Amino acid sequence: MVDLESQGNAVGAAEMADDRSAAELRFLRAQLADEAAARQAAEAQAKRADGDLQKLKAELLAAKDQQAAAVREHEAALAARFKENATLMSALKRAQDREMRVQELVAQADKVHLLVTRLLGALLRQAAPKYLPANVRLQRKCALLDEHSLFDATWYLNQNPDVSEAGVNAAEHFVTHGLREGRSVNRTMEDLRRCAAALQEKPR
């Protein structure tokens, strides 16, 4: 009787031990499953982090490329601006040189025209002193113009339609009015006068 009871107790104790072992095994398995899940989650997170890192690296490289391209474009724009400024400065220097030459030509043309006009006036006065009668002085002045081929009557009338319409003698009109009014005796003097005027009116 005692033996059966002892055996029963031993069997109960063994079953309890088996239950504890089974419970511990289940706990360990659950713990291993949790650790495996945690490891998988950590690996997935690490994979995502690696992907994000690679993406950030790619974005950084792209940003560096864009920055380098922007620097190159800026340098090219600066080089183009410097070249443009150099071209403008060169053009300005040429314009200033042309302006100086134009001013010199204007001064020379004015001097020549003034000199010719004064010489012509002096010749006419010398050819016809004041003590002579007016009609004689007029004839002498006209003869002087004709003698030295200074006066182009046809051209003078074409250039001065008011004189042509008045029906007066071209040479007589010039010596009595035209010289004082600044009219030219021939095409050469007129071209000189117009050249001087055109140079003076040329835009700066």
Side-chain angles (χ1 to χ4, degrees):
M1 195 69 175
V2 175
D3 291 336
L4 289 174
E5 185 177 356
S6 298
Q7 290 178 357
N9 291 334
V11 170
E15 289 178 351
M16 290 179 63
D18 289 339
D19 290 339
R20 286 196 299 273
S21 296
E24 291 177 356
L25 182 59
R26 285 193 299 273
F27 175 75
L28 290 174
R29 286 178 176 174
Q31 191 174 11
L32 287 174
D34 292 341
E35 291 178 355
R39 185 171 61 254
Q40 289 178 355
E43 290 176 352
Q45 185 176 4
K47 187 175 181 180
R48 287 193 300 272
D50 184 65
D52 292 341
L53 180 60
Q54 295 299 325
K55 183 178 179 180
L56 289 174
K57 287 182 178 180
E59 292 177 352
L60 179 60
L61 290 175
K64 286 182 177 180
D65 291 340
Q66 291 178 354
Q67 184 179 15
V71 169
R72 289 194 297 271
E73 290 178 359
H74 182 65
E75 291 176 348
L78 285 178
R81 180 62 59 86
F82 287 143
K83 184 177 180 181
E84 181 182 358
N85 289 340
T87 302
L88 290 175
M89 291 299 294
S90 178
L92 177 61
K93 180 65 169 58
R94 291 194 300 272
Q96 291 174 341
D97 292 341
R98 285 197 301 271
E99 177 67 18
M100 291 182 62
R101 290 196 296 272
V102 166
Q103 291 177 355
E104 292 174 356
L105 289 173
V106 168
Q108 292 175 1
D110 286 341
K111 288 180 180 179
V112 171
H113 186 267
L114 181 61
L115 178 61
V116 170
T117 303
R118 286 180 176 177
L119 286 174
L120 183 57
L123 285 174
L124 292 175
R125 287 192 299 272
Q126 184 178 3
K130 291 184 178 180
Y131 61 80
L132 294 175
N135 61 334
V136 175
R137 290 201 306 269
L138 180 59
Q139 291 175 2
R140 283 196 175 190
K141 290 179 180 180
C142 292
L144 177 66
L145 293 178
D146 184 62
E147 178 183 355
H148 295 282
S149 300
L150 296 174
F151 188 76
D152 187 340
T154 303
W155 180 88
Y156 188 82
L157 292 175
N158 289 335
Q159 292 297 116
N160 300 280
D162 58 325
V163 178
S164 179
E165 291 174 2
V168 298
N169 181 275
E172 291 180 1
H173 181 275
F174 176 76
V175 297
T176 55
H177 303 287
L179 180 61
R180 186 175 62 255
E181 294 171 356
R183 305 196 192 200
S184 301
V185 292
N186 52 43
R187 181 182 299 276
T188 301
M189 282 192 63
E190 179 65 13
D191 289 345
L192 180 63
R193 185 183 67 80
R194 289 184 178 180
C195 178
L199 290 174
Q200 288 176 331
E201 295 173 0
K202 186 175 182 180
R204 297 291 189 252

